[in-house]
Amino acid sequence: MPTPTSAPCPCGRGPAFDACCGRYLGTGAPAPDAESLMRSRYSAFVRGDASHLLATWHASTRPASLDLEPGVKWLGLDVRAHHAIDADHAEVEFVARSRVAGRATRLHERSRFVREGGHWFYVDGDFITKDRA
């Protein structure tokens, strides 16, 4: 379901969607850092925007297609850490909360990102915990 552009951004950073993650979804504008890209990817999950998710996934690990799980209600994002490893590599640890078929879930992941050609890309991640909230 699309987020109204004047509504608060789903990523929780604060400003309206169009002034936050909306600057990156479908625009080709690069996110300034790995955390901003990760937040835009969370917003893409909330909005059901598989094209943004694929476009920001590094070619070395990107699937050919992406089918988003139907019926997921995203409830919030908590960015726990953002570590720049060097100018072109970073990690972001986050917890994303959702509800699927009436059951609350938490996805706790440490994601790896790489910057190429001025654009950040999601490479892969490790689940720290995946449990019921």
Side-chain angles (χ1 to χ4, degrees):
M1 169 166 44
T3 304
T5 60
S6 61
C9 192
C11 83
R13 191 172 256 171
F17 172 75
D18 59 351
C20 191
C21 293
R23 295 180 289 176
Y24 314 119
L25 273 72
T27 67
D33 54 43
E35 179 182 346
S36 295
L37 178 65
M38 193 282 311
R39 287 178 177 278
S40 78
R41 288 176 57 83
Y42 173 82
S43 292
F45 274 106
V46 171
R47 296 171 57 87
D49 187 345
S51 62
H52 179 72
L53 295 166
L54 289 169
T56 58
W57 206 320
H58 194 264
S60 67
T61 57
R62 179 177 53 233
S65 64
L66 184 61
D67 294 321
L68 299 177
E69 185 175 358
V72 176
K73 172 142 177 74
W74 293 97
L75 303 173
L77 175 68
D78 178 22
V79 175
R80 300 277 176 95
H82 172 217
H83 300 289
I85 297 167
D86 59 32
D88 295 320
H89 298 86
E91 292 183 345
V92 178
E93 180 183 341
F94 68 91
V95 175
R97 295 179 301 107
S98 65
R99 185 170 305 280
V100 181
R103 301 185 89 169
T105 62
R106 292 168 32 99
L107 171 67
H108 189 175
E109 181 177 311
R110 183 174 299 111
S111 299
R112 286 176 284 281
F113 296 84
V114 64
R115 184 168 56 178
E116 293 180 351
H119 290 261
W120 284 97
F121 295 93
Y122 168 79
V123 177
D124 61 15
D126 295 319
F127 295 122
I128 297 172
T129 60
K130 187 175 180 183
D131 53 21
R132 300 284 174 207

